[in-house]
Amino acid sequence: MSAVSTPVRRPRRPRPEQPGSPLLLGHGRLPRVLAGTALTVFAAAWLLPLLWAVATSVQSEQDVMKSGLSPFKGAFTLSAYRQILDRGNVPTWAFNSVLTAALVTALTVAVSTLAAYGFSRGTFRGRRTLLALTVAAIMVPPQLLIVPLFEQMTMFHLVDTYAAVILPQVVAPMMVFILKRFFDGIPRELEDAARIDGASELRVFWSIVLPLSRPIVSAVAIFVFIGAWNNFMWPFIVTNDPDLMTLPVGLATVKDAYGIQYAQSMASALLAALPLIVMFLLFQRRIVNSVATTGLGGT
Amino acid sequence: MTTTAPAGTTAPAHQPPSDTTAAPRRRLSLTGGGGLFVLPFLVFFGLFLVWPVVQGIWMSLTDASLSLRDTEFVGFANYTEAFGDPDVWSSLGNTVFFTVISCVPLVLVALAMALLVHSGLAGQWVWRLAYFAPYLLPVTVVTLIWTWLYQPDIGLGNQLLTSLGMEPVGWLSDESVAMWSVAALTVWWTVGFNFLLYLAALQSLPVTYDEAAALDGAGAWRRLWSVTLPQLRHTTVLVAMLQVLASLKVFDQIYILTKGGPNGSTRPILEYVYDVGFTGYRLGYASAVSYVFFAIVIVISVVQLRFFRQEG
């Protein structure tokens, strides 16, 4: 994705932090100290479970079971990680997760941007009705569809295939709606100039509208990816073959089989969490800004 | 394509009647006027959303089961059975209870976090990472970590309690505690998203009102209460509505953490649907129960909309 290169090109702002509102706290010293303390307490409470898991994952199973409030009760060892990687399933599941999440994201972004452009600029008959249907579909909880979707997959003989995991996740009415609203806001004069020059609709979409929509498209891609990576219920229902499971589903079966092995459980949990944490560190500002651009934030 | 194309294919803003003047023939035409752009989406939409919704309604009127074949039409029998089924009511009750005890902190904690981060103290990215990171974790990872924290003998929770001289708690085994444990996990896991929504809203607020109030001598609390919070009202409405809908659909973390136990005390309605459909093989009945649930969700969202509209 081109998103990687964008932060480099953008000149660094002179202000190291987003400033917030200094007014909010006034100029007194006491409110600053109080706010700083509250921030730290929250952050500690939110990071503690993660740190506890990290500490647990780098000890032997015996040491973990010793009592005592210290998270670190024994010698440092990576044996839990080694055992997990040796068992071989985790790399397979990680591959499945990356493959399915990437394909879901690519397909969803392609299908949704095209549809949003069609809904925004199209004049075809039935446009309003179809758009209204799409918006109404946002209300349908995905869980409602699990039973009939499973029947459908059985009928198509797709149970235990990548296609079954991927295809139903591509329907994202919310994303179509968000993109359409953004496209609506792009002034049409730019496109009309291109049309007069003889550009086809596809060309206008590809060369004018899409480049202007970079922030919203990458925001949608990020949210679709997070959603697909973390999706549990649907892959859980539609895969039984351990070789086709995604990380969240596979780890749930490990927990059932090795419930007592806490060091290994924590190690596998952290391995599964790592890719998204790294992604967040890379795209942090973009993720935060994207919430604003999707129009979910704001007043 | 040619110079005449723009008039016909674009700019409905300039000529809105174009759609309605051709009204007599209300046939769907996807090949002209940009309809092809929408086509791929419509294929997915029809196959994987409209079809299952319709098929689900049909199934709910039959005795369909996973064991297949000779499905019979049973009319509304599944629905009448659902209304008389105590498990439907108890799991609905659990769902509502979870929604209440999770939504309040999920809104208030997110607001507090966003206000604190927005107040401009140093180290913004650290706070943002700390509060948002759990949201990035897959549900299995979150439940693995918390199963460990809730472990009865050597888990962090009970170690903390005993070190303070208190009695250990059966976090996941005590019927009166288990749902609170699930809610605590859920707040920790998902509050980051609401936090981001609030933070984005705060960053887009105009500072002028705040400055004016400060010039008029309003103190920090006064300005928070009378200027900032009222400006955040729309965001709060949005966050609260999204959160209620999300909490009503709780399933994943409960299924992995407690399988609905102990003694059904944490089983939400969607897990009941799953149990009936995939463990009990009664797909028809499971569909009926899920449509009853969907009807309730719609009623709740309409009520919410009305309520908030009056407020705003």
Side-chain angles (χ1 to χ4, degrees):
Chain A
M1 266 201 314
S2 58
V4 188
S5 61
T6 323
V8 184
R9 242 182 292 139
R10 190 178 293 160
R12 225 166 232 287
R13 290 195 202 163
R15 290 170 303 193
E17 307 284 347
Q18 285 181 341
S21 163
L23 284 167
L24 209 58
L25 288 180
H27 299 287
R29 175 172 292 249
L30 184 66
R32 303 199 143 255
V33 174
L34 284 177
T37 315
L39 271 170
T40 316
V41 169
F42 269 129
W46 253 253
L47 287 177
L48 192 62
L50 288 178
L51 297 177
W52 197 269
V54 173
T56 304
S57 74
V58 293
Q59 299 169 69
S60 69
E61 297 290 350
Q62 294 88 325
D63 285 337
V64 165
M65 299 306 282
K66 290 178 189 160
S67 68
L69 198 54
S70 157
F72 206 78
K73 300 154 190 160
F76 175 89
T77 168
L78 288 177
S79 64
Y81 288 90
R82 213 170 301 126
Q83 279 162 330
I84 291 213
L85 293 175
D86 280 349
R87 229 180 9 246
N89 273 334
V90 169
T92 312
W93 296 333
F95 172 79
N96 291 339
S97 271
V98 171
L99 181 79
T100 53
L103 283 174
V104 167
T105 309
L107 276 171
T108 308
V109 168
V111 167
S112 305
T113 45
L114 279 173
Y117 182 70
F119 279 133
S120 175
R121 298 295 196 267
T123 54
F124 58 93
R125 249 175 243 138
R127 182 175 63 98
R128 294 211 185 112
T129 317
L130 289 173
L131 184 63
L133 259 181
T134 307
V135 172
I138 294 172
M139 290 278 298
V140 178
Q143 293 87 344
L144 184 72
L145 309 175
I146 295 271
V147 172
L149 266 180
F150 184 80
E151 278 276 288
Q152 199 182 356
M153 292 301 145
T154 317
M155 200 171 97
F156 292 156
H157 301 289
L158 286 177
V159 174
D160 265 330
T161 62
Y162 286 126
V165 177
I166 294 166
L167 294 178
Q169 293 193 67
V170 173
V171 187
M174 183 73 181
M175 298 302 156
V176 173
F177 180 66
I178 287 173
L179 287 163
K180 187 221 168 235
R181 277 208 336 192
F182 189 88
F183 292 162
D184 283 345
I186 297 178
R188 282 147 211 257
E189 285 74 15
L190 287 167
E191 300 157 39
D192 288 342
R195 287 195 188 99
I196 289 167
D197 287 346
S200 69
E201 278 301 313
L202 196 62
R203 181 69 200 263
V204 170
F205 168 71
W206 185 257
S207 311
I208 295 176
V209 174
L210 265 193
L212 287 173
S213 314
R214 267 258 203 82
I216 193 80
V217 172
S218 54
V220 163
I222 286 169
F223 280 114
V224 171
F225 188 88
I226 294 179
W229 181 273
N230 289 345
N231 195 352
F232 173 76
M233 199 180 186
W234 177 244
F236 169 71
I237 282 170
V238 89
T239 54
N240 298 309
D241 180 356
D243 284 341
L244 286 170
M245 288 176 177
T246 57
L247 266 177
V249 179
L251 289 180
T253 65
V254 171
K255 187 205 154 201
D256 284 345
Y258 306 90
I260 321 291
Q261 313 266 42
Y262 284 107
Q264 281 190 38
S265 295
M266 291 307 117
S268 53
L270 292 167
L271 284 177
L274 205 58
L276 276 197
I277 299 284
V278 170
M279 193 177 97
F280 180 76
L281 286 173
L282 288 176
F283 296 119
Q284 209 201 141
R285 174 168 295 164
R286 190 168 283 253
I287 290 177
V288 177
N289 290 345
S290 67
V291 176
T293 25
T294 47
L296 281 172
T299 50
Chain B
M1 284 158 219
T2 58
T3 41
T4 53
T9 51
T10 60
H14 302 307
Q15 27 174 243
S18 69
D19 222 301
T20 39
T21 44
R25 278 194 304 143
R26 271 260 139 244
R27 224 164 10 97
L28 202 64
S29 85
L30 284 173
T31 44
L36 281 176
F37 284 89
V38 184
L39 204 57
F41 172 73
L42 287 183
V43 171
F44 278 95
F45 188 71
L47 265 179
F48 301 117
L49 206 138
V50 178
W51 179 354
V53 164
V54 174
Q55 204 201 347
I57 294 176
W58 165 248
M59 280 169 73
S60 74
L61 302 172
T62 69
D63 62 355
S65 80
L66 263 188
S67 46
L68 289 181
R69 295 320 122 201
D70 52 285
T71 303
E72 254 178 66
F73 184 80
V74 294
F76 288 97
N78 286 327
Y79 288 93
T80 34
E81 186 185 342
F83 281 109
D85 183 347
D87 286 338
V88 167
W89 294 106
S90 74
S91 58
L92 263 179
N94 290 338
T95 307
V96 171
F97 179 60
F98 171 82
T99 304
V100 172
I101 64 172
S102 66
C103 284
V104 174
L106 273 168
V107 174
L108 293 183
V109 172
L111 175 62
M113 284 173 162
L115 283 171
L116 285 169
V117 170
H118 187 65
S119 64
L121 290 175
Q124 287 234 339
W125 75 269
V126 181
W127 313 124
R128 280 203 305 240
L129 178 67
Y131 302 155
F132 189 68
Y135 181 74
L136 295 168
L137 304 182
V139 60
T140 340
V141 171
V142 173
T143 48
L144 277 174
I145 292 175
W146 283 75
T147 311
W148 176 222
L149 300 182
Y150 286 150
Q151 211 275 348
D153 307 316
I154 49 167
L156 176 63
N158 277 346
Q159 300 257 15
L160 274 176
L161 287 184
T162 44
S163 76
L164 294 171
M166 288 191 271
E167 287 292 303
V169 169
W171 298 102
L172 299 175
S173 55
D174 185 334
E175 281 181 37
S176 59
V177 178
M179 194 59 107
W180 293 91
S181 304
V182 172
L185 171 156
T186 308
V187 172
W188 179 81
W189 178 29
T190 58
V191 77
F193 187 74
N194 295 346
F195 157 74
L196 275 196
L197 288 180
Y198 269 123
L199 193 63
L202 278 168
Q203 285 172 355
S204 66
L205 288 186
V207 273
T208 41
Y209 298 110
D210 213 26
E211 279 169 356
L215 279 179
D216 288 345
W221 280 113
R222 180 73 214 220
R223 272 181 287 118
L224 173 67
W225 200 250
S226 312
V227 180
T228 311
L229 289 183
Q231 283 179 300
L232 287 176
R233 193 165 55 213
H234 292 279
T235 310
T236 303
V237 168
L238 179 86
V239 169
M241 288 194 58
L242 289 177
Q243 191 56 61
V244 168
L245 291 181
S247 284
L248 284 173
K249 297 183 209 159
V250 64
F251 169 81
D252 295 356
Q253 64 266 44
I254 292 182
Y255 179 77
I256 308 174
L257 202 63
T258 65
K259 290 248 167 35
N263 203 10
S265 61
T266 60
R267 179 164 70 179
I269 181 78
L270 283 174
E271 190 184 329
Y272 185 58
V273 170
Y274 173 81
D275 286 346
V276 171
F278 288 92
T279 320
Y281 303 120
R282 296 188 59 200
L283 292 182
Y285 186 56
S287 297
V289 174
S290 53
Y291 276 88
V292 170
F293 170 65
F294 186 38
I296 294 172
V297 168
I298 289 181
V299 169
I300 290 180
S301 20
V302 169
V303 169
Q304 269 187 308
L305 265 178
R306 282 271 163 81
F307 175 73
F308 283 123
R309 227 173 246 158
Q310 273 167 7
E311 289 284 292

